[in-house]
């Protein structure tokens, strides 16, 4: 613990003397320093104790001068963990100090001080965990404070149009009170103030809620599972539960969960680029580089570590505490909508300027009259206050037109629908990491999927065993000769990343951990072959390991027997690859036979037979090594790869997931091609693809539909581009083959989604338009490279993501249609009325109310529609399809023309036709306009279908918003007359308004019968790129 003590001058003098004592021994210096801290400086420290808070504040604000303070290392040990303290543990890893590590007794010494058994881990009971938290802290990071509600209010206030409206409201309020007194004069200005604050409040609350929702989802993505051993039991815990002293297992693709030291392992290489920026992998070993840093990734091999620092005591913790997640990520669709908003806003600005110009000209030329029929402007006879008040009123009207014209609800609608869909997708087993993936998934034309765990259950079980050319089952395992059985024990028990936990209570309960393949083989060996794993590990020492990876599809070990010192090589992996490394094989009697070409063909047929039954074929091979060779340029003993003897083969069954065939068919019906890319051999891949519906019986004979990765890799660029569309299955593929496939498909114009779970899948996941990683089997590297994490590893969830992606895109298009209808109608009505009559029919407060309905309430109503089956009946949306389609133009122009026609008739002929006063007529126009938008919300629910009411009873939020809007409109018209500048309407007039608005439904039904051309209408206008 580093304590900074501000000493008085007397302390400083004493320290000077202490520094000058050069002839003291190191031990005496330590004693002097401890004595100085304990006795002498206590007089400088304790009188200041009461001022601790004040000094803390000062130190936090003022950067202290290094020359005026002294840093002393004071070791404060926890009573339960003697011999080691937090600062020493932090320093040993941060400084990568081997000397410091040696002083602490090495890894063994530290583990002893931390009361950790390197084999069986910590005890892990509540008392033990609590004491470790108390002594060393928790594995959590301080995060920057989240944005408060006031932040979003302030952001809303920064809108220029809102500021202008508030300024105009202030002027209007001032002049109104001056002219009519406080009792009556506050209505105009006060009404605008209330309306503006209402708009700001609703907008701020909505944005605040979405921000909180995004933060909540981001916390879930940070919750990484970690494999540890506690009380001799290997188990998974969350990264936040890691404590100092924990023994953690690491494998390829894992994120190192905390700072720590390497215990043991093989070929462990770590990617420290997130910490150092260096792309080269760092090899971790016991003697030279045992230091592991939180946040780095395991690039190769496997191993165990002991945790020495957690949370804020790690370098990663310090770094993460200063980084805030950007919740304002702009998706491609949002950027397109911002451009559209900008273009429409410019049109609205131009219209507002023209209205402002016309109204000012008409006012100053004396063409306008007040409520009593008198001219409003009479030259010098008009009071200055009246002129300013009139000008402010005209500016307010013009600015309000800009507010209504700018479709601010478009970005809000995207945010709402993305937030809503993210929450629902989480319930449907899909966690969105990048917002853009939600909308891009709706445009996907091709999905490249893995087999294991995605199409299948990933519940492996050994169902076939071949020893030599004989298939053995159950009771016939007793026929295996003892020498072959011993070799099997070694090859299975040592060449594995899995482990077995045996209950101490019963001794019979076995718990297997590791990958599904490892667990299946270990389970079979222990339960069927009666393998004693502890005895195997006790009798043999592993000298070197080559870890399994998806490139080579095999793993190997070099081991030495304790009894006779004999060295042996064991390999395990894909059957045909192991077979290619063998020159001999064992038969049932345990005799070694020559593996000639004729015998090799028979073994190939056995492998193909198992693969055709959808079995994964794993082979085991062995070789006794007389002299251990070392790798060129290295100290590691070499694991020989040729001249092996085949021990036997097992077939593992991994059944297809229920419902996966239906999900594949749904995707294909929706126009999305599904391709299977797997590391299994071609026969297994074919069988699974046929079972899942990816490959149909009439396609199996076609050479172009099923290929191997090496064949695809060997094509020329032209051949690949020609054949890539036809390929349905690619077997024995490497991660590079998957990347090559994605690149070819994108060049052909496809929008590609790719599933991946391994570290080597990261390039393909990044290259794809939508990267889908697996939540259960996926490594942390794969998850970080992906856009969406499929939490249950199920292909049916991929199909659900596709459905939600289309829903997001469709909901946004619905809202665009609704929004633009209001924009067009409002702009045309106000402009025509201003130019011809010299006045705007809708007041500032009324327009702000309309703005609230269409921007916020409309977005809530239309952006939260759930996906329907019909969405999967359409072809995918292409990359270049315009945002506003011909169908949308047809619908919105028809509704806008209807509204414009009716409202302009009411504006110019309403008083004479209905024999009503001017104020009642203005109220009728306002009421009809609002009700038209409410009824048009129903029309916007369906872009193509004529029945807009289908499934409406399921959307309670939509019905609730429509109901609230209608109630508030009644309140505005009937009870807030002075606030909204309205007159009360009778039942007949309400019926007329409702009838005019309801007429939009049959008009919508008729308009949808009109066919539209294929050429985008938007290409004729300035926003053709949207």
């Amino acid at each position: 613990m580093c304590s900074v003590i501000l000493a008085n001058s007397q302390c400083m003098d004493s320290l000077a003397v202490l520094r000058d004592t050069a002839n003291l021994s190191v031990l005496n210096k330590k004693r002097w320093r401890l004595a100085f801290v304990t006795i002498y400086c206590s007089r400088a420290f304790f009188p200041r104790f009461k001022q601790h808070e004040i000094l803390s504040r000062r130190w936090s604000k003022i950067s202290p001068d290094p020359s005026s303070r002294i840093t002393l290392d004071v070791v404060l040990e926890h009573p339960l963990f003697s011999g080691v303290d937090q600062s020493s543990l932090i320093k040993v890893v941060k400084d990568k100090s081997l000397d410091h590590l040696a002083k602490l007794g090495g890894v063994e010494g530290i583990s002893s001080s931390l009361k950790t058994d390197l084999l069986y881990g910590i005890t892990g009971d509540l008392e033990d965990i609590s004491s470790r938290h108390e002594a060393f802290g928790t594995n959590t990071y301080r995060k920057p404070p989240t944005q408060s509600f006031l932040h979003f209010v302030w952001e809303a206030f920064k809108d220029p149009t809102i500021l202008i409206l508030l300024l105009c409201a202030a002027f209007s309020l001032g002049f109104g009170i001056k002219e009519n007194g406080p009792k009556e004069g506050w209505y105009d200005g006060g009404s605008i103030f209330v309306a503006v604050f209402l708009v700001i409040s609703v907008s701020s609350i909505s944005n605040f809620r979405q921000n909180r929702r995004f933060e909540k989802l981001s916390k879930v993505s940070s919750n990484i599972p970690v494999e540890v051993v506690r009380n001799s039991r290997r188990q998974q815990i969350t990264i936040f539960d890691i404590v100092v002293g924990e023994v953690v297992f690491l494998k390829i693709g894992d994120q190192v969960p905390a700072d720590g030291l390497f215990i043991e392992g093989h070929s462990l290489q770590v990617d420290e680029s997130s910490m150092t920026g260096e792309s080269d992998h760092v090899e971790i070993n016991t003697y030279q580089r045992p230091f592991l840093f939180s946040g780095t990734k395991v690039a190769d091999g496997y191993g165990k570590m002991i945790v020495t620092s957690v949370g804020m005591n790690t370098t990663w913790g310090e770094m993460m505490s200063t980084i805030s997640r950007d919740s304002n990520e702009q998706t491609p669709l949002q950027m397109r909508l911002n451009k559209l908003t900008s273009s429409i806003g410019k049109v609205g600005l131009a219209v507002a300027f023209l209205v402002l110009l016309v109204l000012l000209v008409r006012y100053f030329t004396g063409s306008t009259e007040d409520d009593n029929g008198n001219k409003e402007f009479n030259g010098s006879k008009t009071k200055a206050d009246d002129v300013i008040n009139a000008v402010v009123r005209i500016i307010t009207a013009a600015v309000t037109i800009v507010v209504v014209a700018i479709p601010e609800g478009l970005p809000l609608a995207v945010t709402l629908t993305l937030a809503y869909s993210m929450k629902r997708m989480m319930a449907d087993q899909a966690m969105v990491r990048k917002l853009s993936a939600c909308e891009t998934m709706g445009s996907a034309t091709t999905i490249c999927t893995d087999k294991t765990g995605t199409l299948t259950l990933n519940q492996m079980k050994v169902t076939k065993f071949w020893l030599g050319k004989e298939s053995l089952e159950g009771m016939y395992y007793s026929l295996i000769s003892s020498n072959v059985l011993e070799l099997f024990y070694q090859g299975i028990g040592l060449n594995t990343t899995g482990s077995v936990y045996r209950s101490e209570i019963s001794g019979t309960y076995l718990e297997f951990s590791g990958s599904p393949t490892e667990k299946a083989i270990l389970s079979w060996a222990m339960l069927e072959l009666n393998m004693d794993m502890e005895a195997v590990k006790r009798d043999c020492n592993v000298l070197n390991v080559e870890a399994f990876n998806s490139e080579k599809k095999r793993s190997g070990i070099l081991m030495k027997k304790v009894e006779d010192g004999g060295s042996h090589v064991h390999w395990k992996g894909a059957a045909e690859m192991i077979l290619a490394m063998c020159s001999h094989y064992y038969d049932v009697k345990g005799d070694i036979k020559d593996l000639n070409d004729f015998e090799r063909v028979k073994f190939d047929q056995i492998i193909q037979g198992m693969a055709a039954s959808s079995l994964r074929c794993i082979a085991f091979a062995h070789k006794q090594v007389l002299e251990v060779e070392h790798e060129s340029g290295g100290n590691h003993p070499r694991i020989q790869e040729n001249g092996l003897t085949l021990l036997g083969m097992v077939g593992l069954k991994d059944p297809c997931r229920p419902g996966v065939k239906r999900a594949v068919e749904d995707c294909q019906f929706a126009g999305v091609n599904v391709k299977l890319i797997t590391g299994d051999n071609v026969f297994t891949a074919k069988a699974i693809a046929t079972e899942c519906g990816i490959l149909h019986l009439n396609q199996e004979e076609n050479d172009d539909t099923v290929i191997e990765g090496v064949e695809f890799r060997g094509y020329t660029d032209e051949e690949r581009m020609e054949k890539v569309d036809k390929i349905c299955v690619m077997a024995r593929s490497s991660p590079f083959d998957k990347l090559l496939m994605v690149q070819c498909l994108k060049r052909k114009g496809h929008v590609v989604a790719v599933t991946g779970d391994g570290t080597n899948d990261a390039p393909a996941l990044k290259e794809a338009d939508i990267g889908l990683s697996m939540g259960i089997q996926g490594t942390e590297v794969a998850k970080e490279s992906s856009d969406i994490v499929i939490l249950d590893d199920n292909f049916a969830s991929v199909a659900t993501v596709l459905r939600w992606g289309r829903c997001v895109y469709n909901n946004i298009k619905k809202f665009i249609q609704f929004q633009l209808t209001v924009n067009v109608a409002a702009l045309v009505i106000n402009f025509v009325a201003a130019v011809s009559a010299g006045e705007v029919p809708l007041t500032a407060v009324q327009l702000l109310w309309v703005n609230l309905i269409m921007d916020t309430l409309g977005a809530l109503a239309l952006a939260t529609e759930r996906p329907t089956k019909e969405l999967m009946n359409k072809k995918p949306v292409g990359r270049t399809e315009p945002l506003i389609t011909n169908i949308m133009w047809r619908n919105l122009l028809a509704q806008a023309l209807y509204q414009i026609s009716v409202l302009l008739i009411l504006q110019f002929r309403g008083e004479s036709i209905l024999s009503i006063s001017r104020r009642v007529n203005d109220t009728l126009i306002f009421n009809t306009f609002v009700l038209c938008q409410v009824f048009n919300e129903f029309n916007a629910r369906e872009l193509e279908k004529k029945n807009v009411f289908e499934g409406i009873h399921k959307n309670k939020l939509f019905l609730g918003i429509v109901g609230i809007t209608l109630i508030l409109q009644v309140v505005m018209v009937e009870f807030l007359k002075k606030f909204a500048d309205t007159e009360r309407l009778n039942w007949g007039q309400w019926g007329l308004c409702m009838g005019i608005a309801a007429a939009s439904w049959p008009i919508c039904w008729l308009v949808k019968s009109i066919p539209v051309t294929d050429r985008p209408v938007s290409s004729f206008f300035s926003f053709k790129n949207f």
Side-chain angles (χ1 to χ4, degrees):
M1 171 181 174
C2 290
S3 303
V4 179
I5 301 176
L6 299 180
N8 55 24
S9 60
Q10 193 174 12
C11 292
M12 296 291 290
D13 293 338
S14 297
L15 278 174
V17 173
L18 187 64
R19 284 197 301 269
D20 292 339
T21 315
N23 59 341
L24 289 175
S25 68
V26 174
L27 181 61
N28 285 336
K29 281 184 179 180
K30 287 183 179 178
R31 288 173 179 170
W32 269 103
R33 184 167 60 183
L34 186 60
F36 174 79
V37 171
T38 308
I39 302 168
Y40 197 86
C41 288
S42 61
R43 287 181 296 166
F45 181 81
F46 285 108
R48 299 166 188 264
F49 184 74
K50 292 181 181 178
Q51 302 173 13
H52 177 69
E53 288 186 12
I54 300 169
L55 286 172
S56 297
R57 290 195 201 103
R58 287 177 185 169
W59 293 343
S60 65
K61 293 178 181 177
I62 304 169
S63 178
D65 181 7
S67 63
S68 65
R69 70 180 186 181
I70 297 142
T71 303
L72 298 175
D73 292 333
V74 182
V75 177
L76 293 180
E77 296 177 354
H78 192 277
L80 294 177
F81 305 103
S82 59
V84 71
D85 66 285
Q86 186 168 291
S87 63
S88 298
L89 291 174
I90 294 170
K91 189 175 180 181
V92 73
V93 176
K94 279 190 178 179
D95 295 348
K96 298 184 180 180
S97 174
L98 290 170
D99 292 338
H100 197 174
L101 178 61
K103 286 179 184 177
L104 293 172
V107 174
E108 291 78 10
I110 289 175
S111 66
S112 176
S113 299
L114 292 175
K115 300 190 183 317
T116 298
D117 188 302
L118 294 178
L119 188 60
Y120 299 121
I122 62 175
T123 58
D125 55 40
L126 289 174
E127 186 180 347
D128 182 36
I129 298 297
S130 177
S131 62
R132 292 175 192 275
H133 281 164
E134 182 185 342
F136 306 108
T138 60
N139 199 29
T140 53
Y141 311 126
R142 283 198 306 267
K143 293 184 178 179
T146 55
Q147 293 170 333
S148 65
F149 175 70
L150 291 177
H151 167 81
F152 294 98
V153 174
W154 177 246
E155 287 296 315
F157 265 114
K158 285 158 69 173
D159 187 342
T161 53
I162 293 293
L163 292 174
I164 295 170
L165 275 175
L166 289 173
L167 186 65
C168 292
F171 274 113
S172 179
L173 186 65
F175 287 115
I177 292 173
K178 184 178 180 181
E179 187 175 342
N180 302 315
K183 191 174 182 181
E184 300 286 337
W186 69 273
Y187 289 129
D188 287 343
S191 299
I192 298 172
F193 268 122
V194 172
V196 168
F197 278 111
L198 187 62
V199 170
I200 288 173
S201 299
V202 173
S203 174
S204 302
I205 291 168
S206 178
N207 288 330
F208 176 72
R209 287 187 62 201
Q210 303 325 314
N211 181 264
R212 285 291 179 271
R213 189 171 290 174
F214 288 138
E215 284 185 359
K216 190 176 179 182
L217 288 171
S218 72
K219 285 179 184 175
V220 177
S221 65
S222 304
N223 193 0
I224 300 167
V226 180
E227 201 163 7
V228 301
V229 59
R230 288 184 176 179
N231 198 22
S232 76
R233 183 180 181 185
R234 193 164 168 173
Q235 56 191 277
Q236 269 198 352
I237 62 172
T238 171
I239 191 171
F240 303 125
D241 291 339
I242 292 285
V243 294
V244 169
E246 198 89 70
V247 174
V248 179
F249 292 90
L250 300 172
K251 61 182 184 300
I252 295 177
D254 282 352
Q255 176 177 309
V256 179
D259 286 1
L261 297 167
F262 179 70
I263 300 173
E264 63 178 6
H266 295 281
S267 309
L268 188 65
Q269 292 188 353
V270 174
D271 177 6
E272 294 185 353
S273 58
S274 58
M275 302 290 293
T276 64
E278 298 292 332
S279 57
D280 293 337
H281 296 161
V282 177
E283 185 174 348
I284 304 298
N285 52 50
T286 310
Y287 306 106
Q288 294 176 318
R289 289 178 175 170
F291 310 106
L292 288 156
F293 293 93
S294 174
T296 57
K297 307 291 189 302
V298 179
D300 198 7
Y302 60 89
K304 286 198 302 185
M305 67 174 282
I306 181 171
V307 173
T308 57
S309 303
V310 293
M312 292 304 299
N313 295 321
T314 65
T315 308
W316 183 255
E318 290 177 3
M319 206 162 64
M320 289 300 290
S321 67
T322 61
I323 299 172
S324 60
R325 181 181 288 268
D326 182 15
S327 60
N328 296 319
E329 175 193 350
Q330 287 278 304
T331 70
L333 185 56
Q334 281 176 319
M335 288 188 280
R336 288 175 74 187
L337 286 173
N338 286 339
K339 288 183 182 179
L340 178 62
T341 301
S342 176
S343 296
I344 296 173
K346 288 174 185 175
V347 175
L349 202 60
V351 171
F353 180 74
L354 286 173
V355 169
L356 176 66
L357 200 62
V358 168
L359 292 179
L360 286 174
V361 169
R362 290 179 65 87
Y363 174 77
F364 285 110
T365 56
S367 303
T368 55
E369 298 177 349
D370 59 19
D371 293 337
N372 300 319
N374 301 319
K375 283 185 179 182
E376 286 189 296
F377 183 75
N378 288 313
S380 58
K381 296 179 182 179
T382 309
K383 295 177 183 179
D385 287 353
D386 292 339
V387 173
I388 295 172
N389 199 19
V391 170
V392 167
R393 190 176 69 250
I394 290 169
I395 292 172
T396 304
V399 172
T400 309
I401 289 172
V402 175
V403 173
V404 176
I406 296 174
E408 296 155 318
L410 290 180
L412 175 63
V414 177
T415 305
L416 283 171
T417 192
L418 286 175
Y420 177 76
S421 61
M422 281 175 70
K423 183 181 178 182
R424 293 294 182 182
M425 285 166 75
M426 194 75 177
D428 289 339
Q429 302 300 314
M431 184 181 72
V432 178
R433 297 187 73 254
K434 295 180 183 175
L435 286 178
S436 56
C438 284
E439 61 199 43
T440 311
M441 193 65 191
S443 305
T445 58
T446 303
I447 297 174
C448 299
T449 179
D450 285 332
K451 176 187 78 72
T452 306
T454 309
L455 298 176
T456 61
L457 287 169
N458 208 12
Q459 294 174 0
M460 299 284 189
K461 184 179 180 182
V462 175
T463 57
K464 281 281 185 182
F465 172 53
W466 289 80
L467 182 57
K469 293 180 286 183
E470 301 292 329
S471 176
L472 301 180
E473 290 183 21
M475 55 184 279
Y476 294 104
Y477 290 150
S478 58
L479 299 175
I480 304 173
S481 64
S482 59
N483 66 315
V484 173
L485 198 59
E486 184 185 358
L487 291 173
F488 259 114
Y489 290 166
Q490 294 170 5
I492 294 172
L494 300 176
N495 188 13
T496 181
T497 55
S499 65
V500 182
Y501 168 75
R502 188 186 296 272
S503 172
E504 293 181 0
I505 300 171
S506 65
T508 57
Y509 172 72
L510 297 175
E511 187 177 291
F512 301 94
S513 60
S515 71
T517 302
E518 297 285 9
K519 287 193 288 186
I521 293 173
L522 284 173
S523 171
W524 170 74
M526 294 196 72
L527 301 177
E528 301 290 341
L529 301 184
N530 299 316
M531 179 182 77
D532 185 344
M533 195 158 176
E534 292 178 1
V536 172
K537 288 187 174 182
R538 192 170 52 247
D539 296 341
C540 306
N541 292 324
V542 177
L543 303 178
N544 193 17
V545 173
E546 184 173 313
F548 178 88
N549 64 55
S550 52
E551 291 273 358
K552 295 182 177 180
K553 305 188 188 305
R554 68 187 187 196
S555 64
I557 61 162
L558 174 64
M559 51 141 288
K560 180 185 284 189
K561 293 183 70 174
V562 174
E563 185 181 354
D564 56 16
S567 298
H568 299 261
V569 165
H570 284 277
W571 284 96
K572 174 183 73 178
E576 65 267 35
M577 294 189 174
I578 298 297
L579 184 65
M581 299 161 66
C582 296
S583 57
H584 299 80
Y585 70 94
Y586 282 99
D587 65 7
V588 177
K589 297 177 182 178
D591 298 329
I592 297 177
K593 302 284 186 179
D594 184 46
L595 187 61
N596 55 37
D597 291 342
F598 177 75
E599 300 291 346
R600 197 176 293 275
V601 169
K602 287 189 175 180
F603 279 106
D604 282 335
Q605 289 173 347
I606 292 170
I607 293 169
Q608 290 174 17
M610 284 197 286
S613 302
S614 304
L615 299 182
R616 170 175 283 186
C617 309
I618 304 293
F620 299 87
H622 157 266
K623 182 179 184 180
Q624 185 167 3
V625 180
L626 298 177
E627 185 179 350
V628 176
E629 301 173 1
H630 284 76
E631 297 173 357
S632 58
N635 298 321
H636 296 299
R638 190 170 70 86
I639 305 174
Q640 295 185 25
E641 302 179 7
N642 48 32
L644 305 178
T645 302
L646 183 68
L647 282 173
M649 296 179 292
V650 293
L652 290 88
K653 180 68 176 175
D654 186 12
C656 281
R657 287 182 177 273
V660 73
K661 187 171 185 179
R662 176 65 183 274
V664 169
E665 288 172 351
D666 286 346
C667 291
Q668 291 171 339
F669 189 72
V672 179
N673 295 317
V674 180
K675 298 180 186 293
L676 173 60
I677 303 177
T678 178
D680 285 324
N681 72 38
V682 68
F683 299 99
T684 307
K686 242 183 186 181
I688 292 291
T690 305
E691 192 176 343
C692 295
I694 294 172
L695 194 65
H696 302 290
L697 294 174
N698 58 340
Q699 292 178 305
E700 288 189 27
E701 303 304 320
N702 191 335
D703 293 336
D704 291 335
T705 56
V706 182
I707 63 166
E708 290 191 338
V710 64
E711 185 183 350
F712 184 71
R713 212 177 312 143
Y715 287 153
T716 63
D717 282 344
E718 292 76 17
E719 287 174 327
R720 273 197 292 269
M721 293 298 287
E722 181 187 343
K723 297 183 178 183
V724 70
D725 281 332
K726 300 175 186 175
I727 296 170
C728 295
V729 177
M730 184 158 69
R732 283 289 175 237
S733 64
S734 68
F736 175 75
D737 299 326
K738 185 182 282 190
L739 176 62
L740 204 58
M741 170 76 82
V742 172
Q743 289 170 339
C744 289
L745 288 167
K746 287 183 72 175
R747 280 164 59 194
K748 291 274 283 187
H750 290 279
V751 179
V752 187
V754 169
T755 68
D757 55 11
T759 302
N760 291 330
D761 288 328
L765 290 168
K766 286 183 177 179
E767 180 69 25
D769 295 289
I770 313 103
L772 304 163
S773 64
M774 301 295 110
I776 299 172
Q777 288 302 311
T779 63
E780 288 308 313
V781 175
K783 290 176 188 176
E784 285 199 2
S785 302
S786 67
D787 304 305
I788 297 174
V789 180
I790 305 300
L791 298 175
D792 61 353
D793 291 13
N794 192 345
F795 186 82
S797 298
V798 177
T800 303
V801 171
L802 177 65
R803 191 178 292 110
W804 270 109
R806 293 192 172 190
C807 180
V808 167
Y809 202 79
N810 202 50
N811 285 349
I812 291 167
K813 285 168 74 174
K814 291 175 185 177
F815 182 70
I816 290 172
Q817 177 183 297
F818 171 72
Q819 175 99 65
L820 293 185
T821 303
V822 185
N823 291 139
V824 172
L827 282 176
V828 172
I829 291 164
N830 280 291
F831 178 71
V832 172
V835 171
S836 58
E839 60 182 13
V840 178
L842 300 174
T843 66
V845 173
Q846 291 170 355
L847 284 172
L848 285 170
W849 169 236
V850 171
N851 189 62
L852 181 66
I853 292 172
M854 68 180 188
D855 272 5
T856 308
L857 299 180
L860 274 170
L862 293 170
T864 54
E865 289 275 358
R866 300 202 66 173
T868 59
K869 292 179 181 179
E870 288 75 15
L871 288 172
M872 298 295 278
N873 296 339
K874 301 173 183 176
K875 296 298 177 186
V877 176
R879 290 180 186 272
T880 57
E881 183 171 321
L883 201 55
I884 308 173
T885 62
N886 293 357
I887 291 169
M888 292 166 66
W889 279 117
R890 177 196 66 191
N891 297 343
L892 75 89
L893 288 175
Q895 292 295 332
L897 286 172
Y898 169 68
Q899 291 179 23
I900 291 166
S901 303
V902 171
L903 294 175
L904 286 179
I905 289 171
L906 287 175
Q907 170 68 20
F908 295 110
R909 293 286 182 267
E911 294 175 41
S912 58
I913 294 172
L914 302 173
S915 302
I916 53 178
S917 66
R918 180 182 168 185
R919 284 181 62 82
V920 173
N921 190 56
D922 287 344
T923 305
L924 271 177
I925 292 171
F926 166 59
N927 200 34
T928 303
F929 186 65
V930 170
L931 291 177
C932 279
Q933 311 322 318
V934 173
F935 279 75
N936 195 36
E937 278 186 74
F938 289 87
N939 296 331
R941 287 188 71 245
E942 296 290 346
L943 298 177
E944 297 180 54
K945 288 173 64 177
K946 292 183 178 181
N947 183 6
V948 297
F949 304 106
E950 186 177 335
I952 198 165
H953 61 283
K954 296 178 183 177
N955 194 339
K956 303 291 191 297
L957 182 61
F958 180 91
L959 294 174
I961 287 171
V962 169
I964 290 169
T965 307
L966 289 172
I967 291 168
L968 290 176
Q969 180 62 17
V970 171
V971 172
M972 286 278 285
V973 172
E974 298 295 324
F975 303 103
L976 299 176
K977 296 192 294 178
K978 291 187 176 180
F979 172 77
D981 196 19
T982 57
E983 285 290 326
R984 298 188 71 169
L985 302 178
N986 59 38
W987 288 105
Q989 289 161 348
W990 270 103
L992 176 65
C993 296
M994 295 289 282
I996 292 170
S1000 65
W1001 289 346
I1003 289 171
C1004 172
W1005 190 87
L1006 289 170
V1007 165
K1008 286 180 181 177
S1009 303
I1010 302 172
V1012 291
T1013 61
D1014 293 331
R1015 183 183 175 186
V1017 176
S1018 56
S1019 63
F1020 295 103
F1021 302 102
S1022 61
F1023 27 82
K1024 59 186 176 184
N1025 295 324
F1026 308 117

